[in-house]
Amino acid sequence: MSKKCVIGKCALCGRENIQLMQSHIIPKLVYSRIKTYQNSRFRNYFDFNQLYQDGEKKPMLCHECEQYFSKYEVEFTNKFLDKYLDLNNQSLPPQYDGIQNYIISVAWRIVYDDLFIYNSFTDTYMRTTYELLEKRLRKYLNQLRTDNVVVFTADAPDETNGNQLKSFGEMILACEKAINYSTPESLENIETHIFTLKELGYSDELIKLFDAFILGYSFNSGDQKKYVVFSMYKGLVIATIFWNNKAIFIPSNIKELFKSMQRKNALKSSLKEEIDYTLEQIKKAYPKNQEILNSNNTREKLEERYKDAKRIR
């Protein structure tokens, strides 16, 4: 049965009334490196009956934008991920020029998904900052394009009302909008990092536990200084962080002040706290998931499904 065609607005280029692809949030090439069998399927650990054939997908991007992201995904897989896996997940290979573009392409998808599909951070003042981050990452990705796609953005100056009289305030806003639209995104206060779970201090036992998990979402620190979008798979933790310099942070002592100045260490600490929280949620969900596996012969059906399946890793 063919899948229903979805017509809508592309989240990246902004073109409307265009066919949307089933876009992976975490790239399909990552899922293919996680699969143990050719016919492996994935489950949402926190909604165990929800199955994915080859990863979570959403109607998000047009065909051209899918192809645009594909080049970053293939490059990342060939130049970094496969080399990392060849090292048995123990150390990181050298990072190639352009790896940042892959990281940002995934981070943008995650934060867009969080904001506009899951509708996260509703009725919180943090949402405005996340929306700003999404907008900046999208602008950066679009300005890198070398294809012939015309990008539409709500930030473009409105030239249809050029002859209408405007108040002084409206003219100031129009000027600011034009400046922001024409100024290239420099990613000021935005950084990308790649760590291993080992580097973050996790034991071999926990690294093995996480080996079959793929996750990605956004979170921020309590002091609002750090807004992080991260993904985690195969022992890798890949993060995009926005340092919100407008936030006011009053440290309680000199030690905390020193810690806040050590950006990379501060990020690693925040990531570890978040991953520890995720680990606690995994533990809480475990009994319920075992009940599901033990009901309706589910465990036996899974064993039968993979009994004669071809193992690929």
Side-chain angles (χ1 to χ4, degrees), residues 2-151:
S2 61
K3 294 183 179 179
K4 183 179 179 181
C5 178
V6 178
I7 303 297
K9 178 180 178 180
C10 177
L12 184 64
C13 70
R15 292 185 295 171
E16 297 184 355
N17 299 318
I18 195 167
Q19 183 176 351
L20 300 179
M21 305 292 102
Q22 290 295 321
S23 305
H24 284 83
I25 308 301
I26 305 295
K28 182 178 179 179
L29 287 173
V30 171
Y31 283 94
S32 68
R33 267 73 180 164
I34 303 292
K35 281 188 172 185
T36 305
Y37 299 94
Q38 282 186 338
N39 61 339
S40 289
R41 294 185 298 186
F42 298 89
R43 289 180 183 268
N44 182 344
Y45 191 83
F46 301 110
D47 186 0
F48 213 57
N49 287 317
Q50 189 174 26
L51 294 172
Y52 303 107
Q53 186 62 41
D54 58 358
E56 185 179 12
K57 294 177 286 188
K58 306 287 176 61
M60 181 185 294
L61 301 176
C62 66
H63 174 72
E64 287 78 9
C65 288
E66 276 282 321
Q67 293 299 110
Y68 169 49
F69 278 173
S70 177
K71 68 177 183 180
Y72 293 136
E73 296 165 6
V74 171
E75 185 179 38
F76 171 77
T77 304
N78 292 338
K79 294 184 178 180
F80 188 86
L81 181 58
D82 285 345
K83 291 182 179 180
Y84 163 75
L85 296 175
D86 288 341
L87 296 171
N88 295 318
N89 308 14
Q90 294 299 312
S91 59
L92 294 176
Q95 295 188 24
Y96 61 90
D97 290 340
I99 194 171
Q100 174 180 256
N101 297 335
Y102 165 79
I103 297 173
I104 288 177
S105 75
V106 176
W108 171 77
R109 278 174 273 188
I110 292 172
V111 74
Y112 181 91
D113 189 50
D114 282 347
L115 284 171
F116 303 115
I117 297 180
Y118 283 108
N119 203 27
S120 302
F121 313 109
T122 304
D123 300 326
T124 69
Y125 55 88
M126 289 95 74
R127 185 177 176 93
T128 301
T129 304
Y130 281 113
E131 288 178 348
L132 172 63
L133 177 59
E134 183 275 328
K135 176 180 170 182
R136 290 184 61 190
L137 297 182
R138 172 163 38 92
K139 182 177 181 179
Y140 173 79
L141 291 167
N142 277 322
Q143 74 188 24
L144 294 178
R145 304 182 78 125
T146 57
D147 54 21
N148 295 320
V149 171
V150 177
V151 176

